[in-house]
Amino acid sequence: MRAVRLNRLPPYLFVEIDRRKRAAREAGRDIIDFGVGDPDQPTPAFIVNAMKEAVHEARHHRYAPGVGYPEFREAAARFFQRRFGVELDPTKEVISVIGSKEALGHLPLAVVNPNDVALIPQPGYPVYESATLFAGGVPFAMPLRERNGWLPAFEEIPQDVLRRAKLMFLNYPNNPTSATATMDFLEKAVWVARSHEILIVHDAAYAEVYFEKPPPSILQVEGASDVSVEFHSLSKTFNMTGWRIGFAVGHADVLAALAAVKSNVDSGVFGAIQQAGTVALNRYDRPEISAQRELYLRRRDVLVAGLREAGWHAIAPRATFFVWVACPGGVDSMAVCSRLLEEADIVAVPGIGFGEHGEGFVRFALTVDEMRIREACTRIARLEWAPLPR
Ligand SMILES: *Cc1c(COP(=O)(O)O)cnc(C)c1O
């Protein structure tokens, strides 16, 4: 019954990890789960309260405009102005999306013709590749390497691939490597895109999860909106993953094309969620939001220190809630994660799950309580890894 196109998809590794985790839990084991990139804290009360009011309004019980209510789009534009100093026209350069995953999943249908190449960072979020395949495009992996600060080396991309490329996905702050991009890099990316008529799709889902200076938007690069769109999400910023709301900004014609696809498959974000999302964006500088960053920071420091004590080469991330760490003892990432699960009841994600260039690393999500992180570090310290040369 299944369509052939599904056979081309890479295996969605997280389903398999989930299965093994559930089996371990059912066996009564005390699992500490660093696997999922889903905030463990609730949505701040001021947003939940805005939702409570909004849900009573009958106007929200009907279809909302597919591209979003003007109030939500204006709030997103205002947020952009305050946070990045970038002016956007809320009627053309901002649309609502049902989470950035939805937008990433649909965007290739709006811009990719059969056999167009999409440049995809690897290791990376699996949706870039599957969405490209759904649209009949050809994914081309841009390896991210530690020695390049986990940024793609554009000069390595063959000229004929650049000629055929229609799209380039970028994601900073990055999942899974937690790397951030400098303005210099984003300027270079825009220059490459302009020279080769490529559309940059920048996934900025972690733009507000940072521990040092706030990460930039690609739209801060002069003229970037001629060659790029950027996806923002309320999911990680406001602990709203279950709500399904985000927004896309940038190139007006591309957003219109995305809206045309979406109008045929969805009918927009529930109006009450947009109203609560408007309140969230208007007050993104509230103390709850910075407190959330501080919580991840404390967890980060506990985990990084614990891993180091256990002999791992852990480096503290500047942004995102991920710690991306080299496998100890030169063991492959799947073997490391299997041992963590079988011998320490700990779930982490093997880098290979993000593509072959993710091999050699594992990802820990900081969505675990501090005391539990300490417990996990104690367990990890008991494991011994064969000291193979790396
Ligand atoms: C979590 C995540 C998303 C999806 O966010 P939603 O807005 O909840 O769909 C997109 N990109 C990356 C890299 C993520 O980690």
Side-chain angles (χ1 to χ4, degrees):
M1 287 293 277
R2 286 162 66 94
V4 182
R5 71 172 65 85
L6 292 185
N7 300 339
R8 282 193 244 137
L9 296 184
Y12 204 72
L13 186 92
F14 306 107
V15 178
E16 171 59 17
I17 291 173
D18 228 47
R19 195 192 59 73
R20 291 173 61 180
K21 180 170 70 191
R22 256 202 311 275
R25 280 218 172 102
E26 271 160 30
R29 288 159 52 191
D30 176 28
I31 300 294
I32 303 179
D33 185 3
F34 293 96
V36 280
D38 189 353
D40 58 314
Q41 297 296 303
T43 307
F46 76 93
I47 303 171
V48 174
N49 290 336
M51 180 68 184
K52 278 187 194 163
E53 279 176 31
V55 82
H56 289 289
E57 288 183 36
R59 70 178 176 124
H60 291 321
H61 303 168
R62 313 187 66 192
Y63 291 121
V67 289
Y69 276 113
E71 292 83 349
F72 178 75
R73 299 165 81 188
E74 284 157 15
R78 215 160 31 241
F79 164 82
F80 234 78
Q81 210 291 321
R82 290 164 66 202
R83 169 69 172 80
F84 300 110
V86 172
E87 297 284 346
L88 296 171
D89 177 349
T91 66
K92 296 194 186 72
E93 294 177 303
V94 184
I95 66 170
S96 66
V97 299
I98 311 177
S100 43
K101 188 178 199 176
E102 176 267 308
L104 291 161
H106 285 137
L107 187 94
L109 292 176
V111 296
V112 168
N113 289 315
N115 299 318
D116 283 348
V117 166
L119 302 168
I120 290 169
Q122 204 202 88
Y125 190 56
V127 179
Y128 313 137
E129 182 173 350
S130 44
T132 298
L133 291 169
F134 282 157
V138 180
F140 183 89
M142 298 186 290
L144 308 184
R145 298 194 184 90
E146 187 173 24
R147 65 168 185 271
N148 296 328
W150 305 106
L151 301 169
F154 298 128
E155 60 280 5
E156 284 177 2
I157 306 170
Q159 285 297 321
D160 63 308
V161 172
L162 282 172
R163 256 195 305 279
R164 285 173 61 202
K166 187 74 182 277
L167 271 189
M168 170 160 62
F169 288 95
L170 292 174
N171 166 220
Y172 293 98
N174 183 260
N175 175 9
T177 69
S178 77
T180 49
T182 56
M183 276 304 285
D184 273 359
F185 169 79
L186 295 176
E187 275 163 16
K188 199 160 124 194
V190 167
W191 182 81
V192 169
R194 196 182 291 287
S195 326
H196 297 277
E197 293 179 49
I198 297 170
L199 175 73
I200 296 176
V201 181
H202 188 220
D203 176 358
Y206 294 94
E208 307 314 310
V209 186
Y210 55 80
F211 313 117
E212 293 180 14
K213 82 175 185 304
S217 159
I218 199 163
L219 296 189
Q220 287 172 271
V221 177
E222 187 76 35
S225 64
D226 301 341
V227 291
S228 33
V229 288
E230 186 168 78
F231 293 151
H232 287 258
S233 171
L234 278 66
S235 288
K236 316 286 164 61
T237 311
F238 301 108
N239 300 336
M240 291 174 72
T241 47
W243 298 53
R244 313 311 305 134
I245 184 164
F247 58 93
V249 295
H251 198 299
D253 294 342
V254 172
L255 295 186
L258 175 60
V261 172
K262 282 168 57 53
S263 70
N264 285 283
V265 287
D266 69 60
S267 298
V269 177
F270 179 27
I273 293 177
Q274 290 191 50
Q275 192 165 316
T278 300
V279 169
L281 288 173
N282 283 341
R283 308 204 202 143
Y284 79 96
D285 47 6
R286 284 204 27 146
E288 291 92 325
I289 312 307
S290 43
Q292 184 60 45
R293 284 192 274 266
E294 282 152 25
L295 181 75
Y296 290 136
L297 177 70
R298 284 195 299 278
R299 292 174 174 180
R300 177 197 79 169
D301 290 343
V302 170
L303 180 62
V304 167
L307 287 173
R308 281 190 187 155
E309 251 165 67
W312 297 47
H313 295 283
I315 295 167
R318 293 195 180 120
T320 78
F321 47 56
F322 300 116
V323 174
W324 177 249
V325 52
C327 293
V331 183
D332 75 66
S333 62
M334 204 63 185
V336 171
C337 291
S338 292
R339 280 197 63 195
L340 286 174
L341 183 60
E342 297 316 322
E343 299 173 35
D345 292 337
I346 287 167
V347 177
V349 182
I352 187 80
F354 301 96
E356 60 177 307
H357 295 289
E359 186 51 286
F361 286 79
V362 297
R363 192 193 76 178
F364 291 82
L366 297 168
T367 49
V368 176
D369 173 81
E370 195 178 313
M371 286 312 294
R372 297 287 281 166
I373 297 178
R374 288 183 194 283
E375 163 67 18
C377 290
T378 307
R379 294 184 195 174
I380 291 171
R382 283 190 215 119
L383 300 178
E384 278 184 31
W385 306 90
L388 294 177
R390 291 218 309 125

